[in-house]
């Protein structure tokens, strides 16, 4: 690929990766241009760029996937290079080719390399020819349902269905038996087509409880290639990584050298230029198998940067400008241990359902490296990936790094939108992870142990107290005695998925007494600021951070993040919310990608009726009760908001 000096870089991405690339580009003296959708008009990456250009409406197809609009933005601002970040168009050969045709330097590999490795079927053929071990499977042209089922039986269940053009777990399904295969195949194709514009899939033999190990590689235009060690990405949900670390607890120096040599061999066979990652499955016997190659910078690249002391974005920029790799293989060193967690706006206790909305209070720990693009009051749109931040720790040992990351996560404040913060902390604390034994089956095997702990009665008392004193009409809380007559205030609220009823009484000495189910807790508000409360509970002085948004109160206390819904003045909730009234409601903001029933169909309770897509993932909605489909209120392609009725079931008999 032709390389030449450049002076201004357009970053064809959003959020934390746009800011990350911007930081290094500025340090090296480049001008930076941002692009944005209407959802990101006031985003930090837009405000901090030298110039910014609107692309279009929030849906990616109308903004961050619009090649023509991005090329036009580069021309209008005088940018002479484009950095794609990751996701969106980062591995799109048409985008790389379009940049090349108009004279823009694409900061990444050639269109030919992206095309060769972007198709999983073709990539496996190339890797096999290069001597890289591959997972047995099927990557043939016959995509018919019967042919795919026949090949799945030949391979032997369980099998993995994978989108040829995909990544990040989208278009991927684990199928354990032939009966489930047709529905899983349809779902994988649908999700792949929506995410990548290509519903083609391949099949692979599912390897039991493997490690997911990836090797970071770099090549340049001078025939040089190196690897920067491995990262262990085994802790995943929905085949998407949540925790990454380096070095891997399962990789010995000998295995690292062997995997690194294979990866470098593959890079040289491709005449590859720029950053890339070869991803492998490592079984219990130490055998590794190629899965795919990502022809871009990875989300987890800070882990490698922490270990090597290198700036991988700087390497990308230098290679794109035609320079040779800064170091030879023998000059690359590794120091200590690094771990990264992905903080996502999702509900880990409800199948990792994506969450969108306003982040009322946002504050990240200063002791860790944190990559993010949020601030208090920012809106998290439903159109993009659920990852909102990355927290990275580095220590002399794995245990030191793990302890630092746990402490940092507990200090992180993210109130207003449900996140997986507490879930990540539970993962890091779990004995299996602490012992370095986590495989890709870790979350499934320990799901119940990783759930949020039950809410303690003292925390319920604190919630009742904060709900009262944070109310906009509440009188200022003053310490000391009161001459006012004492009257108990009844409170009704939902916390931890359970409705609680309490009575709150302020005593004449200024303390509060909270009564719930016959138990009493005495509390004292020592100080109350805009978002911080100092409260004495059972004689112990404690701190809590909180944010109020209408009838909802968000509290972080003792490492737990709680959402409290004030129901004191609300009517009692009926069975309607659970679909018991025959109405299926959208569980989240999203786009309808499949209507699975039609009016007049008989359905059973729990039967799938509709599929929504949000934050690049599909979410199946089911009938709450048995009955007949009376009406379908939406069509494929419609955008719906949380709570909207999408399907109605009449003449139902409760199951």
């Amino acid at each position: 690929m032709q390389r030449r000096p450049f002076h201004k870089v357009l970053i064809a991405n959003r959020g934390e990766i746009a800011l990350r690339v911007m930081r290094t580009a500025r340090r090296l003296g480049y001008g930076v241009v941002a692009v944005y959708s209407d959802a990101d008009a006031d985003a930090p990456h837009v405000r901090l760029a030298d110039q910014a250009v609107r692309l279009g409406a929030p849906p990616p197809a109308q903004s961050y996937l619009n090649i023509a609009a991005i090329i036009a933005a580069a021309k209008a601002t005088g940018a002479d290079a484009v950095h794609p970040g990751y996701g969106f168009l980062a591995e799109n050969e048409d985008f790389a080719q379009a940049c090349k045709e108009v004279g823009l330097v694409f900061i990444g590999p050639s269109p030919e390399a992206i095309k060769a490795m972007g198709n999983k079927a073709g990539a496996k053929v190339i890797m096999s020819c290069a001597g890289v071990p591959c997972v047995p499977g099927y990557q043939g042209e016959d995509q018919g349902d019967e042919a795919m089922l026949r090949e799945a039986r030949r391979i032997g269940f369980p099998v993995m269905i994978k989108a040829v053009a995909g990544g990040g777990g989208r278009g991927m399904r684990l199928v354990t038996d032939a009966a489930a295969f047709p529905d899983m195949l349809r779902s994988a194709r649908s999700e792949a087509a929506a995410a990548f514009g290509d519903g083609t899939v391949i099949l692979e033999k599912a390897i039991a409880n493997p490690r997911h190990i990836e090797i970071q590689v770099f090549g340049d235009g001078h025939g040089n290639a190196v690897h920067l060690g491995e990262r262990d990405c085994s802790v995943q949900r929905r085949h998407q990584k949540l925790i990454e670390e380096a070095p891997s607890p399962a990789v010995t120096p000998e295995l690292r050298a062997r995997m690194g040599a294979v990866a470098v061999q593959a890079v040289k066979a491709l005449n590859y230029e720029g950053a890339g990652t070869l991803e492998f499955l490592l079984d219990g016997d130490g055998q590794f198998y190629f899965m795919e190659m990502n022809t871009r910078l990875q989300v987890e690249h800070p882990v490698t940067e922490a270990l090597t002391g290198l700036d991988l974005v700087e390497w990308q920029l230098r290679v794109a400008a035609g320079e040779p790799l800064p170091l030879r293989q023998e000059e690359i060193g590794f120091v200590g241990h690094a771990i990264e967690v992905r903080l996502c706006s999702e509900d880990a206790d409800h199948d990792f359902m994506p969450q969108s909305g306003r982040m009322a209070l946002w504050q990240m720990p200063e002791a860790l490296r944190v990559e993010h693009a949020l601030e208090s009051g920012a809106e998290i749109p439903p159109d993009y990936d659920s990852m909102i931040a990355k927290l990275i720790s580095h220590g002399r040992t794995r245990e030191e790094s793990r302890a630092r990351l746990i402490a940092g996560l507990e200090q992180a404040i993210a109130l207003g939108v449900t996140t997986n913060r507490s879930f990540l902390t539970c993962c890091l604390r779990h004995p299996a992870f602490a012992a370095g034994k986590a495989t890709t089956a870790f979350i499934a095997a320990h799901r119940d142990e990783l759930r949020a702990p039950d809410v303690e009665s003292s925390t319920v008392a604190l919630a009742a107290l904060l709900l009262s004193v944070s109310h906009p009409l509440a009188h200022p809380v003053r310490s000391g005695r009161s001459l006012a007559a004492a009257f108990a205030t009844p409170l009704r609220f939902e916390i931890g998925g359970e409705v609680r009823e309490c009575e709150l009484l302020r005593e004449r000495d200024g303390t509060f007494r909270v009564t719930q189910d016959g138990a009493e807790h005495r509390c004292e508000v020592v100080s109350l600021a805009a978002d911080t409360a100092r409260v004495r509970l059972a004689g112990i002085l404690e701190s809590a951070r909180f944010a109020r948004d209408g009838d909802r109160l968000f509290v972080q206390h003792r490492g737990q993040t709680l959402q409290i819904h004030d129901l004191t003045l609300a009517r009692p909730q009926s069975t309607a919310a659970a679909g018991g009234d025959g109405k299926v409601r959208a569980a989240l903001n999203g786009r309808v990608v499949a209507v699975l029933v039609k009016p007049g169909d008989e359905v059973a309770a729990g039967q799938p009726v509709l599929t929504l897509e949000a934050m690049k993932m599909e979410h199946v909605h089911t009938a709450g009760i048995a009955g007949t489909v009376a009406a379908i209120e939406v069509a494929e392609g419609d955008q719906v908001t949380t709570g909207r009725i999408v399907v109605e079931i009449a003449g139902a008999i409760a199951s």
Side-chain angles (χ1 to χ4, degrees), residues 4 8-10 33-35 51 53 55 67-82 95 98-105:
R4 62 178 176 80
K8 185 185 291 188
V9 179
L10 181 145
V33 178
V35 291
Q51 297 169 287
V53 179
L55 295 176
I67 294 175
I70 294 172
I71 296 294
K75 289 182 177 179
T77 57
D80 46 4
V82 173
F95 182 47
C99 290
K100 180 179 180 180
E101 289 174 355
V102 297
L104 291 169
V105 174

Side-chain angles (χ1 to χ4, degrees), residues 126-420:
I126 293 171
M127 290 295 104
S128 293
C129 293
V132 180
C134 296
V135 180
Y138 170 73
Q139 48 270 350
E141 294 183 3
D142 190 344
Q143 291 280 303
D145 292 357
E146 291 183 6
M148 297 297 282
L149 180 56
R150 182 174 63 251
E151 291 297 329
R153 285 192 167 115
R154 178 187 62 80
I155 296 166
F157 290 96
V159 299
M160 294 295 302
I161 303 173
K162 291 186 176 182
V164 298
R170 292 176 291 279
M172 184 183 296
R173 298 291 186 274
L174 172 63
V175 189
T176 57
D177 56 67
F181 188 82
D183 285 342
M184 290 290 195
L185 180 63
R186 183 216 61 79
S187 178
R189 285 170 169 165
S190 172
E191 191 171 84
F196 314 112
D198 185 351
T200 308
V201 297
I202 64 171
L203 304 178
E204 288 183 350
K205 178 67 178 176
I207 298 175
N209 301 333
R211 296 266 191 167
H212 184 142
I213 306 294
E214 60 188 27
I215 304 291
Q216 175 71 61
V217 294
F218 258 93
D220 63 22
H222 304 271
N224 303 308
V226 298
H227 74 84
L228 302 179
E230 85 281 359
R231 295 183 289 256
D232 193 318
C233 309
S234 299
V235 179
Q236 306 175 2
R237 54 91 176 94
R238 289 179 169 170
H239 308 293
Q240 291 183 313
K241 305 163 188 173
L242 281 183
I243 302 177
E244 301 101 347
E245 62 178 312
S248 167
V251 174
T252 63
E254 294 77 19
L255 180 58
R256 180 174 303 114
R258 190 153 49 98
M259 295 182 76
V262 166
V264 169
Q265 181 178 326
V267 170
K268 289 184 175 179
L270 287 167
N271 294 317
Y272 189 86
E273 299 179 32
T277 305
L278 276 80
E279 305 208 4
F280 299 92
L281 293 179
L282 176 67
D283 68 19
D285 297 324
Q287 299 300 312
F288 59 92
Y289 304 91
F290 171 80
M291 288 195 300
E292 63 184 7
M293 182 177 185
N294 292 306
T295 54
R296 54 167 168 80
L297 195 68
Q298 291 279 77
V299 173
E300 56 273 20
H301 74 274
V303 170
T304 298
E305 291 184 328
L307 241 62
T308 61
L310 303 172
D311 184 330
L312 301 196
V313 175
E314 178 180 345
W315 276 40
Q316 284 187 296
L317 294 167
R318 294 194 181 282
V319 168
E323 297 182 26
L325 292 177
L327 297 175
R328 298 187 301 273
Q329 188 68 62
E330 60 271 19
E331 296 175 313
I332 297 169
F334 307 95
V335 177
H337 197 100
I339 310 175
E340 171 184 291
V341 293
R342 301 189 188 192
L343 186 66
C344 300
S345 54
E346 62 186 23
D347 189 344
D349 287 333
H350 292 86
D351 198 27
F352 303 99
M353 185 79 74
Q355 306 290 303
S356 56
R358 193 173 75 91
M359 186 63 74
L361 185 61
W362 177 261
Q363 184 177 318
M364 290 293 103
E366 296 181 357
L368 298 178
R369 174 177 173 178
V370 182
E371 300 285 350
H372 71 96
L374 281 179
E375 56 199 358
S376 295
E379 288 287 335
I380 298 175
D383 307 276
Y384 313 117
D385 193 89
S386 63
M387 190 188 76
I388 54 176
K390 305 180 305 194
L391 291 79
I392 305 99
S393 65
H394 182 227
R396 294 169 299 174
T397 65
R398 184 176 188 269
E399 182 55 28
E400 183 177 287
S401 181
R402 187 178 73 93
R404 285 180 176 175
L405 190 50
I406 291 171
L409 270 172
E410 291 185 336
Q411 295 163 12
I413 308 296
L415 301 178
V417 178
T418 301
T419 74
N420 64 342

